[in-house]
Each structure stands twice: as C-alpha cells, then as structure tokens.
C-alpha cells in the first residue's frame, strides 16, 4: 500500500506532516512517498526510518491565495507531482493539507470522476453526543451550487462510505433541511427529496441539530451549506471554550474546579477535535484522496493517513463504481 | 404602549406566557392584552394584577402540524384576533410563541409589508465570545428561497435594527459565505455581494465562525441557510453540554470540580441561552411583531416583551420605512 503525502502548503510547514507520518508508520504497515522540500523534510526523519520513506524533492506549491484552477498548469507543484504518482499507479492514495481547491480540481481532472458520478464531494466526520458515534456530512465544500442529482450522488457515496469504511450496518441517510416534515426545504432540497425517497436508506429531512445527536449516519447537503454548517459549528465550540476560560478566571474556586475537571475537558476535546478524524475523503474520484485542514497538526496528519488506509482496505472507490454502474 | 400576547400554541401551554408577562410588568410600564383560553389564563394572574391585564377569551389556535397558509382563514384563532388588534391600532405590537409560520403569514398579509421591502425577515440574536456583545442573523427562517434583492433588504433592515434597537454605532454588515474572499460564494451570494458593495456598512463576506467571534454585527443570509446555522449551533451547544455531563459522571473528582464550577456553567448558560434574548423580531412588516420559540419559558417571554418595547421605543418600523422611501 503506497501512500503519497503532499508535505507542502500546510499552515505549519512540513514538520507536522513528517511527524504525523512517522507516528502512522509505528502503527500501520504502508509505504510512504513524501513530496516537498527535501532538505526540510529530511531534518525531521530519524536515521532509522530514512530507508522506509521515499522523499521526492519539490519546492513549488499552490499558495492559499492562488486560484484552484491555476493548479492544473503548475506541473512542478507538490500536489501535481503527488497526484501524478497516484494517476500513474505508482501510489494508491494521496493525503494533502495544502490548498484544498487545488487538490479537488487536480483530483477531478487528473484522476477523473467515477463514471456516473455527477460531482465529487468532500465527506467530513462530525462528532455526536453519543460516545464513539460520528455522523458524516457531505458535501462539505466541494460544490457551492448543486443540482438535485448531485445530492442524490452524495447520498449514495455517503451511504457506501459509512457502510464500508466506517462499518455502519444499514446507514441512515438524511437530507439537511429547515424542518423534519416532508414538505420543508428550499427548491433544491424539495426536488432532491422526491428523488431520494425511492431509496431504502433515506430517512427523510433532518435538521441542523440532528448532525450532532447521533440520530442519522449520513447528512446530505450542498457544499455551500455544508461549509457554513461546519464553520458555524467550529465557531460555536470555540466561543463556548473562550467563554468558559473567561468565566473560570473570575475566581480561584472556579480555577480549582477546572483543575479537578481537566481530564473532562481533555476528553471533550478528544471527542470533538477535528484532528482526531484526520481529514476528509474526496468521494467520487477514481482514487483515494484525503483532504486535510491547512492547520493540521501531526495527530491530524497521522489520522488522515489511517483514513487513506481504511478507504483502501475497504475498497471504497470500487464500491462506488459498482453502485453507479 | 399596548402589547398583545398570544397565549396559545406554545409548547408548554399558557402558564409561561402569563408568568413571563407578570415578570415584565414588574420592570416595565406597558398595557398588556392577552388572547387565549380565559379560564386558564386567569388562574395564573394574581388578584392585584387582574385590573392591569386585559384578557380576550379565545380557545382556537393554529396547531404546529397545520399549514401556515390556513391561518388566514381561521379568524377565530388567537393569533388572528391578536394580529387584528395590532392592525386596527388597538395595540402597538404582538408577541407570539405559537405557530411561527402562521404568525409570519398573518403579519405579512394583515399588517402588510413596508413599502419597498421585498420580503420580511426573522432577525435573531446570536451570542458571541465577547461578553455583552451579540450578533444579529437574518433571515433566520422566513424565506427559504431568496433573490439577491431580498438579501439586500435584509442587510438594510438588520443594519437599522442594530443601530436603533441594539444601540450599535456604525454596525458592520457581512454576507454569510463559504470563505472571506470576495470571489467566494454561491450564485445567490455572489450576485448579492455585487449589490451590497455599494453600501458603506458592508464589510464583505463572512464565515460561519464569525457569527460567534464578535467580528461582525449583522450577518445576512437566506432563510434556509439561517435556519440551518441556528439549529446546528443549538445542536453543537447541546452536544457539548451532554458530553460534559457524561464525562463528569465518570469520577467523583470531576463531580467535585463541576460543583466548584457550577457558577461558571450558569454564566455560560446565561450568555448563550436563547431564553435571554426572548424572541426574534419579524422585520419588514408595518408593525412590531416578535416571534418566540415554541418552547419558550417565562424568562424568554419576559425578554420577548422587552424586545417589543425596545423596538417600539426605537421606532424601528418607521426607520425602516424611511430607509426604503
């Protein structure tokens, strides 16, 4: 199993990428290829691992302010080189914390969409209040303007991912809407609803709160809405954390209480921190592509590599191909 | 100042409505008219307040499962009777925790849209991590499918509300989008962006997280997105609270810590609980209409009454009329 890591373009440089890889190598059997500034990368690889990690030198990368469309012309960039390795069969999967638009656009154009899939979608894991249970939301940002048939494909791909990669028996798929009743929705979701109701896995409209209460396994929406829900949720969690810190500082008793509860806060972080899920698979392209947050730490990269491995082991690309054939 | 309370259709019956009214009467000078099941209402009014509160008996109301459009035909319903009192000038404002679709539809049809306003919008207060600072989001659910000109009206109305009711000097208005860059957005927001950039108060695109970080005063979006963001945010807050409770139960030290921190959690609740903002004004109709959550407790009703009073004192309907004339 060969996995390419794009070491460039992350917010914190190559260090967390290499460190995440080293952690992953301790727990899983795979052959890594890392593309990026070679001298920088080598600094973080211990002597005994140098033979295990193939480094391909590349100093160019797509910067955050650049247009995603420029990626297809930048053949010397780390993401282009990495993607070509997957395209040529020299690697099985790619993980990148660089410019996500560039990754999506290269994955779609160079690896190709799976036949019959209208649009690839980013599939993100969300924590729920039930311990050990996550929901999937897709599209989390690849497609801002969608048609009903795209959302139907998202539902099918999310269902397959939940079943084969997450191991959920009979995943329940819901359509994100402004109310649970069948008549609720905007023009896009109402039309999508009428198409999805043919599928046994479809449980109908779900509301924003259901993403986090464990009542649904896969939540389908367009990429604009998915992005807003994701960023708003992160915003709420961050605001709550800031408010708690402000309030705790107001008394030594509160500080003592917080000290006693520190493991509770650590557990909360572990259960809700996106580092723990790693990245988000781009579903609907011919190969396994994992898109990580630009701000990924080593743990997030390590988990993103596990995600790539799980997706390969579960053969999810082939299963989506079968679904659509 | 005469304020109508629709006592019917709330999730918890007439009790929280009457109790909220009684609390409000202790702090503010106004004349209440309460419409609903008279015998039930009287039970909760102390003897000494009976002369201050006008009760109009009515036992019919629009139930949650009914269509909003049925409200216009149900002239015997509490919300219809209440709305007519405002329409006829017998009252200045109305507060309802009943069927919100019915309230919106009656407000629009019986009180009428302000000349030049394309669509009325629900304007909801959101907590931020800055103490004492709130952001406004509109539309929070009145219009599922919007045109760019609706969103421009939402921006204008939100700006006016922030300035005159919330007392924010020079409110900053942002357009909710999937990225801060000018080029980000879906078809609707991109077109809206090009219209809004003519206005001095417009600070450009904002992301989901900005709703909660205090960096923007008014966040504009369509009602479908607004509803999803609201419900998702409530979902995150509720999931975090559940996870904390689950984790705290795992050790007596954690429980002791939580006991010491109980005032911190109370402060967090006070700063984030929607009861504290009361309800949401429906902006863009000719009179003051406050829509409360069906699950409102007495405190939420009390605050909703204050909102109605603030809106009347600030003369916000007339100010929106001037803006659009």
């Amino acid at each position: 199993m060969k996995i390419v890591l794009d070491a460039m373009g992350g917010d914190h440089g190559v260090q967390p990428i290499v460190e995440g890889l080293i952690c992953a190598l301790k727990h899983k059997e795979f052959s890594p290829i890392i593309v990026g500034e070679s001298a920088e990368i080598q600094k973080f690889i211990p002597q005994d691992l140098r033979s295990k990690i193939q480094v391909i030198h590349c100093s160019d990368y797509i910067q955050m302010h650049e247009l995603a469309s420029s990626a297809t012309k930048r053949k010397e960039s780390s993401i282009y080189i990495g993607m070509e390795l997957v395209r040529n069969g020299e690697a099985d999967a790619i993980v990148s914390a660089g410019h996500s638009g560039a990754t999506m656009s290269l994955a779609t154009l160079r690896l190709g969409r799976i036949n019959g899939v209208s649009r690839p979608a980013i599939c993100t894991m969300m924590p729920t209040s039930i311990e050990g249970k996550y929901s999937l939301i897709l599209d989390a940002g690849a497609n801002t303007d969608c048609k009903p048939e795209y959302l139907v494909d998202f539902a099918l791909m999310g269902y397959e991912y939940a079943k084969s990669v997450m191991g959920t028996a009979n995943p329940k798929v819901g359509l994100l809407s402004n109310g649970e009743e069948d008549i609720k929705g905007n023009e896009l979701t109402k039309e999508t609803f009428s198409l999805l109701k043919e599928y046994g896995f479809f449980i109908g409209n779900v509301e924003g709160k259901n993403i986090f209460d464990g009542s649904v396994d896969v939540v389908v929406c367009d990429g604009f809405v998915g992005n807003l829900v994701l960023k708003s949720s992160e915003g709420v969690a961050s605001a709550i954390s800031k408010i708690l810190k402000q309030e705790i500082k107001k008394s030594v008793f509160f500080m003592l209480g917080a000290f006693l509860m520190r493991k509770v806060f650590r557990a909360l972080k572990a259960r809700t921190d996106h580092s723990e899920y790693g990245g988000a698979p781009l579903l609907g392209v011919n190969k396994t592509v994992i898109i990580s947050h630009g701000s990924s730490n080593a743990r997030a990269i390590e988990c993103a590599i596990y995600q790539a491995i799980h997706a390969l082991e579960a053969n999810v690309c082939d299963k989506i191909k079968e679904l659509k054939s």
Side-chain angles (χ1 to χ4, degrees), chain A residues 23-44:
Chain A
C23 288
L25 273 173
K26 286 184 192 147
H27 297 96
K28 287 275 181 183
E29 200 57 57
F30 65 99
S31 308
I33 307 171
I34 182 158
V35 185
E37 193 70 66
S38 174
E40 270 297 300
I41 292 169
Q42 297 291 3
K43 270 197 232 166
F44 301 104

Side-chain angles (χ1 to χ4, degrees), chain A residues 232-281:
Chain A
S232 305
S233 308
E234 288 175 14
V236 173
S238 147
I240 289 178
S241 150
K242 276 185 199 156
I243 293 174
L244 281 176
K245 280 177 192 155
Q246 292 162 8
E247 295 294 332
I248 287 168
K249 277 189 196 148
K250 291 182 182 172
S251 143
V252 283
F253 290 103
F254 303 163
M255 287 191 256
L256 176 62
F259 178 76
L260 288 170
M261 272 181 69
R262 65 197 184 284
K263 283 189 184 165
V264 169
F265 292 121
R266 233 175 275 157
L268 173 69
K269 191 171 182 319
R271 285 174 65 177
T272 57
D273 187 6
H274 63 77
S275 302
E276 295 296 318
Y277 337 135

Side-chain angles (χ1 to χ4, degrees), chain A residues 19-210:
Chain A
E19 287 177 354
L21 167 60
I22 290 165
C23 288
L25 273 173
K26 286 184 192 147
H27 297 96
K28 287 275 181 183
E29 200 57 57
F30 65 99
S31 308
I33 307 171
I34 182 158
V35 185
E37 193 70 66
S38 174
E40 270 297 300
I41 292 169
Q42 297 291 3
K43 270 197 232 166
F44 301 104
I45 306 181
Q47 201 62 45
D48 60 318
L49 284 178
R50 296 228 165 135
S51 61
K52 277 198 177 174
I53 301 173
Q54 187 188 340
V55 180
I56 296 181
H57 176 71
C58 162
S59 53
D60 186 36
Y61 67 99
I62 314 294
Q63 298 193 33
M64 289 299 174
H65 62 82
E66 293 184 74
L67 284 175
S69 54
S70 67
T72 51
K73 292 164 225 144
R74 291 270 292 285
K75 299 191 179 178
E76 303 307 313
S77 72
S78 60
I79 184 69
Y80 197 102
I81 292 170
M83 206 62 82
E84 288 304 291
L85 292 170
V86 181
R87 176 180 151 94
N88 301 336
E90 292 169 66
D92 305 297
I94 183 165
V95 173
S96 174
H99 192 302
S100 60
T103 309
M104 282 186 279
S105 117
L106 278 176
T108 309
L109 293 166
R110 303 298 297 167
L111 306 180
R113 275 204 306 251
I114 289 172
N115 266 340
V117 169
S118 47
R119 290 290 184 286
I122 298 177
C123 180
T124 298
M125 275 170 76
M126 301 293 265
T128 76
S129 55
I130 299 173
E131 199 162 358
K133 186 161 172 46
Y134 298 88
S135 61
L136 295 172
I137 183 163
L138 76 170
D139 177 16
N143 311 277
T144 45
D145 291 285
C146 287
K147 293 178 178 166
E149 51 272 31
Y150 303 178
L151 269 66
V152 173
D153 282 343
F154 302 166
L156 285 164
M157 296 192 295
Y159 171 78
E160 191 53 55
Y161 190 86
K163 206 174 64 168
S164 54
V165 183
M166 315 273 294
T168 311
N170 306 312
K172 288 179 278 186
V173 180
L175 180 63
L176 193 57
S177 188
N178 59 334
E180 286 182 349
E181 302 85 353
D182 291 2
I183 49 156
K184 287 292 175 102
N186 62 10
E187 282 170 18
L188 172 66
T189 67
K190 281 179 187 167
E191 235 182 290
T192 308
F193 188 100
S194 69
L195 297 173
L196 278 177
K197 69 178 184 208
E198 311 297 325
Y199 295 90
F201 56 63
F202 181 57
I203 60 162
N205 285 329
V206 295
E207 293 191 275
K209 63 181 182 200
N210 301 121

Side-chain angles (χ1 to χ4, degrees), chain A residues 300-316:
Chain A
I301 297 297
E302 178 190 356
C303 294
I305 295 169
Y306 299 148
Q307 265 185 319
I309 294 172
H310 294 322
L312 289 170
E313 283 171 346
N315 226 344
V316 71

